[in-house]
Amino acid sequence: MTYKDLPDDVRRFILTSVPSVPYLEAILLLRGEPRAPWNAAAVARRLYLAEPVAGQLLQGLASAGVAQPHPETPEAFTYSPATPELAEMLEAVAKAYGANLVKVTDLIHSRVDRRAQQFADAFRWRKDS
């Protein structure tokens, strides 16, 4: 599988900063309604996730500078990239996702698969050990 249709900076960002497809979909959800207060229940309903998972995604987005706590709604967040550069990158990622959904999701999964294989390899019994 080749990812040449994806810009290098977008590919690099996805590989280094997007841990899962639900994480990316949460970014896109908040980006789609940037002024709306998003809590775990609302994200869970829209992305078909368990509420605790959605809450972890929102916390992760806040930690990454993608979202910030909503000023008027407790336990809710709004889309608010910390820097103009991050906002620009997220726009590029959203555009790439819209144009190359399969390639972007495959790229995210390739990263996850690679890490899972590395973890599994750490437990492989070797004859020389």
Side-chain angles (χ1 to χ4, degrees), residues 29 38-55 58:
L29 182 65
W38 289 98
N39 63 21
V43 171
R45 272 191 311 277
R46 291 287 296 273
L47 298 182
Y48 304 101
L49 299 170
E51 197 170 315
V53 173
L58 286 169

Side-chain angles (χ1 to χ4, degrees), residues 17-119:
S17 304
V18 179
S20 68
V21 173
Y23 183 91
L24 177 56
E25 289 178 345
I27 291 172
L28 299 175
L29 182 65
L30 272 65
R31 180 184 156 273
E33 295 182 48
R35 293 193 176 129
W38 289 98
N39 63 21
V43 171
R45 272 191 311 277
R46 291 287 296 273
L47 298 182
Y48 304 101
L49 299 170
E51 197 170 315
V53 173
Q56 291 171 346
L57 287 173
L58 286 169
Q59 290 296 329
L61 295 178
S63 295
V66 173
Q68 67 178 6
H70 189 273
E72 300 167 12
T73 309
E75 298 183 25
F77 295 84
T78 57
Y79 181 75
S80 182
T83 65
E85 295 81 12
L86 178 57
E88 186 177 312
M89 177 54 63
L90 294 174
E91 290 300 316
V93 169
K95 182 179 176 184
Y97 188 74
N100 297 297
L101 174 87
V102 173
K103 286 184 179 153
V104 171
T105 56
D106 283 350
L107 183 60
I108 294 167
H109 288 299
S110 75
R111 175 179 181 253
V112 172
D113 292 346
R114 203 170 27 249
R115 290 178 65 202
Q117 186 61 52
Q118 289 170 344
F119 180 77

